[in-house]
Amino acid sequence: MVAATTRTLELQLLLGPDTVVPVAGRFGYRSDRPYEVRVAFVSQGRTVTTWVFSRELLLAGLRGPAGEGDVRMRPFRDAVGLRRVHIELRAAGSECALTAEATDLAAWVRATAEVVPPGEESRFLDLDAHLARLFAERN
């Protein structure tokens, strides 16, 4: 049986130094994919794009600078002292910067730990099923 948790968080899309736009991020985590987090960015009720990255990166990004490639995160305090997480997404020469409230993000990460405790991911991974899916996609 697959266990999962999802939560929609309000993020801020950074368009400039003083310009932010609210964006919904639907965060998803499943026990049959224990290493990954999916974030679907939703606008006007439809998914605009979905990003997949490791839960470990998200955990690290709550504590300090994390990430080296297309996804980078770091905690910071905003102008009024609220703890937030800065998230940079890069793909095909473009870049997007967002922020999320650290307490909301941390609460969701705690919910993922109830599905699969950190460090126990390998117990939940069905490697044969993943390999079969990969080979089926190649044909």
Side-chain angles (χ1 to χ4, degrees):
M1 183 169 114
V2 175
T5 184
T6 57
R7 185 170 299 160
T8 300
L9 302 179
E10 183 176 310
L11 307 173
Q12 292 181 341
L13 176 63
L14 306 174
L15 298 178
D18 298 320
T19 308
V20 297
V21 174
V23 174
R26 188 172 43 238
F27 286 72
Y29 182 78
R30 298 170 42 124
S31 62
D32 63 334
R33 295 176 163 228
Y35 292 102
E36 71 181 43
V37 169
R38 289 183 175 270
V39 183
F41 296 97
V42 180
S43 176
Q44 297 178 348
R46 66 183 180 94
T47 300
V48 176
T49 189
T50 301
W51 279 74
V52 179
F53 51 90
S54 76
R55 177 173 68 164
E56 185 178 339
L57 174 64
L58 185 57
L59 285 164
L62 284 164
R63 295 186 304 267
E68 297 177 3
D70 294 339
V71 181
R72 297 174 188 223
M73 299 179 186
R74 64 177 167 77
F76 73 101
R77 290 200 182 270
D78 66 12
V80 295
L82 184 65
R83 290 182 47 240
R84 299 190 69 80
V85 177
H86 181 88
I87 304 167
E88 291 178 13
L89 306 173
R90 298 177 182 166
S94 62
E95 185 176 320
C96 171
L98 305 125
T99 69
E101 285 192 32
T103 53
D104 292 344
L105 203 50
W108 183 75
V109 170
R110 282 192 300 278
T112 72
E114 293 175 16
V115 174
V116 175
E120 295 186 25
E121 292 88 353
S122 63
R123 288 189 29 226
F124 292 81
L125 183 64
D126 184 349
L127 191 54
D128 291 335
H130 285 286
L131 288 173
R133 189 180 74 245
L134 283 172
F135 288 126
E137 290 173 1
R138 295 181 84 189
N139 296 329

